[in-house]
């Protein structure tokens, strides 16, 4: 534990005398006395986040004022706000002291009972609709959907394990908690737990804090100490909680840019992405509701997937949703085959005929009973098309989505062919996988198979969905989908040759 | 066909009564009555594009006013403008009703005869020089140059076909129209054709529209229903047609960012790209002519390749050109070997000694009679250097281009070595290609060969041309060019071993 | 040599009469007469860089005025400024005529003795502390550390050489000077030398200039004609020398974006990068000192690695440093294993027990005597954490860096396993490398081994260090680290099979 010397001399004396200094700060009158207490020290201890908060809407308007706005302009979804909140701005104390008894990470901090991990349950005091919707969002279940699904657990181990080469073979090892927290769970969310307390020497003297396992983390499916799931701060970054940031595509890019889910990359080569980058300086990312043509002239991720979008005539093109898949009939990434969206955000309960926790068979056949039906798909499609219709004709929209439908068909076909090659390898004993009840993700040819769908299939479908053609051809697209199939086929031949070569 | 319910209630009644509402809009007096008719409905039906147009120069100035500007400031290249255009702003009707009899996609729409696909011939009413230049641009022929060249057709099929693995072999399949439209032709342009008419139930009641095959599309080489080629909207996005957007590199990035043509990526790691991203907020992307030092202090794609560039003393550094290759002696991407630019934008007529429609032999030897000569190359080089000279000394410029010359030499050499390995595989029957009159793009080792030039050779040359060194070394550059050659050589050995292993 | 005809007519006459024209320019009164002489012609000859300079601080304030500022606000580190500098603005002449006798590239230019290559020794007239620090920065030695280390020289040759396939084998060739200048040395710096003089016909008539080998270049470790190393213009781009540009991540991205050192890419998917891109329009990149919360609310590269950072209370979070590694205990890229930073910026003197010029053994064991010790590592870590503490709690910071520590451990482990596979190949004679005293970088399996650390190990460590998880998993991260190991293992088997197959 290191103590910045710079604070020691200037601050320790008054602090030891029990005095907390409030520097001259431009804070409005409605700041609660508790928050003023926090600011007194934290404007010196963590000046960056205090300044961030001062730039936030939370610091400038009280919930009571927010409640007076017209329905469409309102950012608060609660009908009324209890628990003593409302008349002061939403400062440090209003969130970090809320629901104290429900937080196992609550601790005494200079006479205040605060908790470190603000959870969706805290945010729900003012934003209950958003929290409820997010609970039905696949993203809120991202931790369990990855870590509690035996199939995916093997994939995680394959990527993250410290495998060993010895005695002429590679020995597979499971992954460890800290590596998982640093990789997959950075987006999926860690399991944050209170494991004890510790005393630290701080610039403010000795202090006791709860010890948090798997901290820090702001993954969308974070398991919080209070038993809730999710982290609003994934997209609404502390401590500005800026709607501008959430609406810009860079926020989504934090987790949706890699080869497994190249949404941002596809967007960046689409006309929409071009117009955003070229013209966004003229747009208003703060307005609620968000008016097409007036506030922006091309969509960002939020426009199509989440925001309340209206036109200048006051008509609603799309309702706000934090479920995120309200406008998505198809689930186009993360699984071997594209398929209708799962009914339930918790996908660990899905199991196919082969007993695998996957929403399709290895042949691509969807496991229907866990997935939404045609009616629900049509309704979701309709909601999405209503956004498109703000700028595009019906024929344009139909032509566009016909291409996505075809890409779902062709990529599923190409995954099936790769599955055929891999099955042949398994059958001939050239690799050991599902027929041998062995890990299907631990040999080179198996990893190539994964890339067929996890990289190339996903990329092509995103490219079709968002009209960023490069990612459907040479940038991890159809070119690689074919090349990978051909290389899997060559690998099959080479494995045979190296096998037959054995004494 | 889905009808947004929101419109039904509020709008159907007045519409059925034959009344079109014009909401209070800030549109100048010179809007034609036809365009006012369009706006009456479309400000409600497609509010985004109406707002876009209202933000455009087309909505703010009439062609007649535009014609009064000084030559260098003029954005209209027509000496005079006929056909009833000129005295009103350029609104919906001015483009979508123009040359109605030449448009097979013309149809009656609420009493107006309009067409969906505005073509370069329409734009030529005011911008004839630009359209003529673009006709001589390789880009305008991008559809035929890809789809009517048998060599490239095989490449398209290889990437896009739904190949099949069955009975221990991979069976090659041709690509289909919708997949091609969604991938290669998204940039190259589709063949848009009127295939009939259809009646749709719209928010405005039942209406009849032409059915357009291969729609939507805004590829640079689009085949339009009126028989013209090209789409001005590829770079001048509807409906702002903003010169700012066209001049920013994000527009070019839509099609020039992938591994086959990484121009934007190279730019983004160059000093030029850095200065653009860091300082563009201070630049003027609307000014015509475009003044170095005053309007911008580092070039974008447009500066070097297309724009009319002047200095503060009024001297012309470069004339505007929509031929795009006026300042390019070498064609450095898309083909196995870099070579002098083709004389004619239509490259389907090029044929080498081996009978392939390629501008070089497989040995790299250029097919001289189809390519520009040394004199033309020198003139193009001089035009480009005049732009460089706005900021750089003669020695700097010479040093820079000497590196590009060397890269052309080394990458052609490395392609030749890869061709040698592949030829060896063909000769030994380990793969089937040109000697067997078989597809040279359908086996793994052949696809590696393609990447040698289509990815790595291209990337290195772009990196040299635009000084973005990363893309010449580790980011798809020389590192991969060598690694790929070594892997092709290993593949040759492994193919032999797996062959000899056969009974 | 091409002469822009446009200048000939308008300018040659007055020039031949010995008159240099000063156009009406908005230049302050303190411009030296020598600089006015330069501007007279160069505002016409290279208008872009003159405009750039006019936008610079150098053109707006004299060093004498700069010296009057308070210590923290001062941009000049010299206590006093001699050599006749100080009372005029810093124009063309002040830099290009400085220390004339020390510059072998000095030449007579219209009566002025000027040199082309301004070196750190010139900049040191006003900025001596920065130059001294940069001399102790690994970056200043980037040329020799690459080119004078026999191990790395082989790596350079491998990537850049014009290898040949003939008679059934690939023949390795060394790289050439111009290709190296265009690739590795673009960032590492070339060896710029005066090789003679030449006469050119310019728009100003015949003129004689020194001939500079390996020019142009602005690499960080450039060898300058005056015997100094480094190029300040790598990050402080001519001729605005804008601190805004240096502080924005695009500058670092010029050399730190490729797969070997993906710092910018990692940043761009981190919360920090998101906030920069989403909110930078509101930030002040010109302020000195740089105040967290007031001038910016999330760090750029410069914030954490170089800048003088203070808080609104005037406390210093971090002192300015151009050594760059003052806040870095670990060297996490460029070498097979992560290890404590070298003591000396000149790493050519490092040699391990095996006689290789590497800071670790092939087993990963650090060569302790050349590397900083635990105490120095702790001090560097403390300096970095003081920046983090501007916004983050101690527990957050500890949790973050524990993940980096773990990544260093796991990536070193995975490199060791790949080294095991390669050693096995060498031992069995399936490849020829270190045991055979052959180039360890010239066969496919060896190049895969290089990628294990140069691409994947580096990427994972950067992802951990800067919290951009994507680059630690599927974007060149742990996924590839495992896949590459598995493919090396397969290659070993295939090489055996193809070997045993030989007659």
């Amino acid at each position: 534990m290191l103590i910045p010397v710079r604070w020691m001399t200037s601050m320790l004396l008054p602090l030891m005398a029990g005095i907390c200094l409030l520097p001259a700060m431009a804070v409005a009158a409605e700041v609660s006395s508790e928050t003023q207490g926090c600011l007194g020290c934290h404007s010196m201890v963590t000046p960056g986040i205090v300044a961030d908060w001062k730039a936030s809407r939370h610091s400038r308007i009280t919930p009571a004022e927010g409640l007076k706005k017209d329905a469409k302009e309102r950012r608060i979804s609660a009908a009324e706000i209890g628990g003593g909140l409302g008349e002061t701005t939403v400062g440090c104390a209003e969130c970090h002291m809320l629901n104290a008894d429900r937080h196992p990470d609550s601790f005494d901090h200079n006479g205040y009972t605060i908790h470190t991990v603000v959870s969706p349950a805290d945010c729900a005091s003012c934003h209950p609709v958003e929290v409820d919707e997010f609970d039905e969002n696949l993203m809120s279940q991202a931790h369990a959907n990855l870590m509690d699904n035996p199939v995916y657990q093997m994939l995680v181990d394959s990527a993250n394990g410290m495998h060993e080469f010895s005695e002429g073979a590679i020995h597979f090892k499971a992954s460890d908690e800290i590596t998982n927290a640093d990789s997959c769970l950075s987006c999926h969310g860690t399991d944050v737990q209170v494991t004890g307390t510790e005393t630290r020497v701080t610039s403010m003297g000795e202090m006791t804090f709860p010890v948090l396992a798997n901290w820090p983390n702001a993954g969308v499916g974070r398991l919080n100490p209070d038993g809730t799931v999710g982290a609003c701060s994934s997209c609404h970054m502390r401590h500005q909680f800026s709607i501008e940031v959430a609406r810009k595509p860079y926020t989504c890019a934090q987790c949706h840019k890699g080869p497994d889910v190249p949404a941002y990359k596809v967007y960046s080569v689409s006309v929409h992405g071009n117009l955003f980058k070229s013209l966004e300086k003229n747009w208003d990312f703060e307005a609620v509701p968000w008016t097409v043509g007036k506030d922006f002239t091309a969509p960002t991720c939020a426009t199509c997937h989440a925001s309340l979008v209206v036109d200048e005539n006051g008509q609603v093109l799309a309702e706000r949703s934090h479920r995120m898949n309200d406008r998505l009939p198809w689930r186009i990434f993360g699984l071997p085959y594209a398929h209708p969206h799962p009914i339930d955000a918790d996908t660990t309960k899905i199991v196919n005929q082969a007993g695998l926790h996957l929403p399709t068979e290895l042949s691509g056949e969807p496991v229907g009973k866990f997935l939404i039906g045609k009616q629900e798909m049509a309704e979701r499609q309709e909601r999405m098309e209503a956004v498109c219709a703000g700028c595009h004709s019906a024929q344009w929209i139909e032509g566009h989505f016909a291409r996505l439908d075809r890409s779902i068909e062709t990529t599923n076909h190409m995954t099936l062919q790769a599955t055929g090659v891999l099955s042949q390898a398994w059958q001939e004993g050239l690799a050991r996988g599902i027929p041998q009840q062995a890990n299907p993700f631990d040999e080179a040819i198996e990893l190539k198979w994964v890339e067929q769908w996890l990289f190339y299939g996903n990329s092509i479908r995103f490219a079709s969905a968002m009209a960023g053609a490069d990612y459907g051809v040479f940038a991890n697209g159809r070119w690689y989908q074919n090349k990978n199939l051909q290389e899997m086929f060559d690998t099959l031949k080479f494995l045979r040759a190296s096998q037959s070569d054995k004494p």
Side-chain angles (χ1 to χ4, degrees), chain A:
Chain A
M1 182 46 223
L2 301 160
I3 313 160
V5 176
R6 60 189 166 89
W7 290 328
M8 293 298 284
T9 46
S10 64
M11 299 186 60
L12 220 52
L13 195 65
L15 285 165
M16 286 185 169
I19 303 161
C20 234
L21 304 168
L22 181 66
M25 285 172 54
V27 168
E30 311 91 333
V31 175
S32 69
S33 62
E34 291 85 354
T35 290
Q36 288 192 33
C38 305
L39 294 173
C41 297
H42 277 278
S43 62
M44 283 174 284
V45 176
T46 51
I49 57 175
V50 169
D52 237 1
W53 172 77
K54 286 199 284 184
S56 77
R57 174 169 289 263
H58 277 169
S59 80
R60 286 183 277 118
I61 187 168
T62 64
E65 290 168 309
L67 276 173
K68 291 178 195 152
K69 304 227 173 209
D70 283 344
K72 277 185 202 161
E73 291 172 27
R74 206 176 293 162
R75 291 151 200 258
I76 294 174
S77 58
E80 55 183 33
I81 295 170
L85 295 171
E87 299 307 321
T88 62
T89 56
V90 183
C92 322
E94 282 63 35
C95 299
H96 285 278
M97 294 179 67
L98 200 62
N99 306 319
D101 51 347
R102 280 166 44 183
H103 284 281
D105 53 330
S106 284
F107 65 106
D108 179 80
H109 187 61
N110 284 331
Y112 301 106
T113 301
I114 69 142
H115 56 278
T116 304
V117 187
V118 175
S119 80
D122 298 328
C123 302
S125 300
C126 297
H127 309 285
V129 172
E130 289 73 18
V131 170
D132 285 350
E133 287 171 349
F134 191 73
D135 271 344
E136 294 170 12
N137 183 344
L138 271 171
M139 295 165 86
S140 70
Q141 306 297 318
H143 178 93
N145 285 351
L146 183 73
M147 301 303 282
D148 297 347
N149 181 329
V151 176
Y152 279 113
Q153 182 58 56
M154 286 190 286
L155 196 66
V156 170
D157 285 344
S158 177
N160 291 348
M162 285 175 72
H163 314 306
E164 286 184 14
F165 174 73
S166 62
E167 298 172 11
I170 294 182
H171 304 281
F172 193 87
K173 303 287 172 184
S175 59
D176 61 272
E177 192 172 48
I178 191 167
T179 299
N180 290 345
D182 194 31
S183 58
C184 309
L185 302 184
S186 178
C187 286
H188 281 255
T190 60
D191 181 3
V192 180
Q193 293 185 333
V194 181
T195 59
T197 61
E198 64 180 342
T199 301
R200 291 171 176 272
V201 181
T202 78
S203 56
M204 302 295 173
E206 270 205 356
M207 285 186 170
T208 299
F209 300 91
V211 177
L212 296 170
N214 299 313
W215 187 251
N217 181 261
V220 288
R222 189 179 67 197
L223 306 188
N224 302 305
D226 70 352
T228 61
V229 292
C232 303
S233 57
S234 291
C235 309
H236 301 282
M237 258 68 66
R238 296 155 307 145
H239 280 95
Q240 275 194 49
F241 308 102
S242 155
I243 194 169
E244 172 162 17
V245 173
R247 281 173 169 177
K248 287 192 173 172
Y250 310 116
T251 292
C252 308
Q254 291 180 200
C255 291
H256 294 261
K257 192 176 181 184
D260 53 319
V261 41
Y264 175 79
K265 286 186 169 174
V266 168
Y267 177 73
S268 75
V269 297
S270 73
V271 173
H272 293 161
N274 172 15
L275 293 176
F276 163 72
K277 289 202 178 187
S278 295
L279 300 175
E280 58 123 340
K281 62 177 182 174
N282 307 321
W283 298 358
D284 183 348
F285 288 88
E286 299 276 355
V288 173
W290 213 13
T291 306
V292 63
K294 176 168 161 280
D295 297 326
F296 63 92
T297 58
T300 66
C301 315
T303 317
C304 296
H305 296 290
S307 295
L308 167 62
V309 181
V310 303
D311 67 21
E312 289 195 70
N313 312 305
Q315 312 239 30
V316 174
L317 277 69
E319 298 286 352
R320 181 184 297 115
S321 171
H322 281 67
R323 252 184 308 265
M324 290 299 179
N325 36 4
D326 272 5
R327 309 176 197 163
L328 295 176
W330 293 96
R331 190 185 189 193
I332 62 170
F333 76 97
L335 279 296
Y337 298 93
H339 55 273
H341 251 284
I343 294 167
D344 196 319
D346 172 6
T347 62
T348 58
K349 56 185 73 158
I350 297 176
V351 60
N352 69 10
Q353 286 182 28
L356 298 172
H357 291 262
L358 292 175
T360 68
E361 306 301 329
L362 269 188
S363 63
E365 178 85 7
V367 187
K369 67 176 169 175
F370 298 107
L371 309 177
I372 61 171
K374 285 194 188 309
Q375 174 64 25
E376 172 69 17
M377 289 179 80
E379 286 170 19
R380 293 184 180 199
Q381 181 73 22
E382 184 176 353
R383 281 187 213 110
M384 178 62 89
E385 292 190 0
V387 183
C388 308
C391 294
H392 297 288
S393 74
Q395 186 170 181
W396 180 290
I397 297 168
E398 276 179 27
H400 171 75
F401 284 109
R403 290 174 189 167
L404 173 57
D405 289 345
R406 179 65 177 158
S407 285
I408 289 172
E409 191 181 340
T410 59
T411 54
N412 279 355
H413 169 90
M414 289 298 277
T415 293
L416 183 62
Q417 308 316 304
T419 307
V421 175
L422 181 58
S423 297
Q424 183 73 25
W426 284 338
Q427 195 178 311
E428 296 185 29
L430 301 169
R432 288 168 44 80
I434 289 172
Q436 291 86 3
Q437 296 189 317
N439 188 329
F441 304 128
D442 64 346
E443 297 174 72
I445 194 171
E446 294 168 335
L447 300 176
K448 277 183 174 294
W449 172 69
V450 172
E451 293 188 353
Q452 186 76 353
W453 43 271
L454 190 63
F455 290 2
Y456 313 130
N458 290 352
S459 186
I460 293 162
R461 292 184 292 255
F462 273 106
S464 297
M466 294 161 60
D470 240 0
Y471 288 88
V473 195
F474 291 120
N476 268 11
R478 292 171 180 86
W479 174 262
Y480 282 101
Q481 191 183 231
N482 177 37
K483 181 170 177 251
N484 192 49
L485 178 65
Q486 303 290 346
E487 290 191 344
M488 284 181 70
F489 183 64
D490 267 11
T491 303
L492 188 67
K493 293 191 289 187
F494 302 161
L495 285 169
R496 273 190 205 123
S498 69
Q499 199 81 348
S500 68
D501 187 56
K502 283 189 178 167

